[in-house]
Amino acid sequence: MYVATAFAPLMDDKTTELRDLFVETTGEETVTESQSTPRGSLGSDRDEGSVDDRLDELIEAIREREGFSSSLSTTDLRRVVRAFFDPDAAGADSGTWSHEADAAVASSLSADGDGDAESGSVDAESDPIDAEDVFRARMDLHLVSDADREAPVPYERLRRLVSESPPDADDEALAAELSDAAGVSADVSPESARRYRRVVEADIASRRVNHRFRDAFSNLLTDADLSTRLAEDARRDGLREATEDIETDVSL
């Protein structure tokens, strides 16, 4: 009984310090158990409908400003944007996105489209969506990945070749230029040259607006997850330090 009484003031003081540190670190006065959300998804405090509305507004703003070569609907374009910033959607993130990721998203869109066709909500005669459709959509939306920029020549040289080529230059001419620039070991096809051209043009379009649209997409789809992780890290670090202080004082 004496021991408990002796340590009571000490524990009361440390409890107060712990609470003050928690409030200072997290900005909250109560601890709430939060449910985990999948990586790349929004927290439960975000209105998904409002996020979708904002994504649609951004997509339409790009369409109005530059025009789209993609024939995908706004709903499908929105899903492409969401997938690009969700590593679980296609097994890749914005840095490692590849043709395989485009194909995975295309397969998902086509599967849902088949279901809509059976229900009569879309035209059953519409063509299935393939990886090239998703790639074209990403370029329209300024969603260029590091893998997209891999070419037979350094990217800066590729960008210069595309930028300096005449507006009416065809894919065969660019393919020949790229093959010459890369050396005898490379034989760039017109199809590959067309893809490289679209990547460079998408990068240029994004730079022209200071990457405003890509940044807006990223902020909408990743900030909630980031802020949650930062708050959890701050809370964990602060509580760990306070607990270590308590253990040290009690040992003494």
Side-chain angles (χ1 to χ4, degrees):
M1 193 68 176
Y2 171 76
V3 174
T5 303
F7 278 101
L10 173 61
M11 295 306 294
D12 288 344
D13 290 343
K14 283 303 172 183
T15 300
T16 301
E17 290 182 19
L18 180 58
R19 180 186 179 282
D20 291 344
L21 181 58
F22 177 86
V23 173
E24 179 182 352
T25 304
T26 66
E28 302 176 4
E29 296 189 4
T30 59
V31 180
T32 302
E33 184 70 18
S34 60
Q35 296 181 350
S36 61
T37 56
R39 184 182 177 189
S41 63
L42 298 177
S44 59
D45 59 334
R46 294 291 293 271
D47 181 355
E48 291 285 347
S50 296
V51 172
D52 282 346
D53 288 344
R54 180 56 181 154
L55 289 174
D56 290 351
E57 290 174 2
L58 292 168
I59 291 169
E60 292 307 318
I62 305 176
R63 190 198 305 272
E64 182 178 349
R65 177 185 175 87
E66 300 173 6
F68 281 174
S69 63
S70 171
S71 59
L72 296 186
S73 67
T74 299
T75 299
D76 285 344
L77 291 171
R78 184 206 312 142
R79 290 183 60 184
V80 170
V81 175
R82 280 187 172 274
F84 189 76
F85 290 102
D86 180 0
D88 296 327
D93 58 25
S94 58
T96 60
W97 197 274
S98 62
H99 176 79
E100 288 73 19
D102 284 336
V105 174
S107 177
S108 176
L109 294 176
S110 293
D112 290 346
D114 290 341
D116 291 339
E118 291 177 3
S119 66
S121 58
V122 299
D123 184 3
E125 299 299 322
S126 59
D127 294 331
I129 299 171
D130 60 20
E132 181 63 23
D133 294 323
V134 175
F135 169 75
R136 190 179 301 114
R138 286 197 297 110
M139 297 304 102
D140 286 339
L141 297 165
H142 303 174
L143 301 180
V144 180
S145 72
D146 293 338
D148 291 324
R149 300 184 180 97
E150 295 178 359
V153 298
Y155 185 69
E156 285 304 314
R157 188 168 187 182
L158 171 65
R159 186 167 61 85
R160 188 164 57 251
L161 285 172
V162 172
S163 300
E164 294 175 354
S165 63
D168 58 348
D170 56 23
D171 296 328
E172 288 77 7
L174 179 59
E177 287 189 72
L178 287 173
S179 296
D180 290 342
V184 294
S185 61
D187 184 13
V188 180
S189 68
E191 292 76 15
S192 294
R194 184 183 310 118
R195 185 180 180 91
Y196 296 141
R197 185 194 302 278
R198 285 175 174 162
V199 169
V200 171
E201 290 174 346
D203 262 341
I204 291 174
S206 187
R207 286 187 181 188
R208 193 177 295 127
V209 294
N210 295 320
H211 306 292
R212 181 172 76 248
F213 294 111
R214 179 177 173 131
D215 289 346
F217 290 142
S218 178
N219 290 340
L220 275 172
L221 299 175
T222 63
D223 273 4
D225 191 46
L226 175 61
S227 62
T228 298
R229 292 199 305 271
L230 291 176
E232 290 175 350
D233 290 345
R235 181 182 296 111
R236 183 168 53 250
D237 293 343
L239 294 179
R240 183 186 300 116
E241 292 175 2
T243 303
E244 289 172 352
D245 288 343
I246 290 175
E247 291 174 351
T248 300
D249 289 346
V250 170
S251 297
L252 292 175

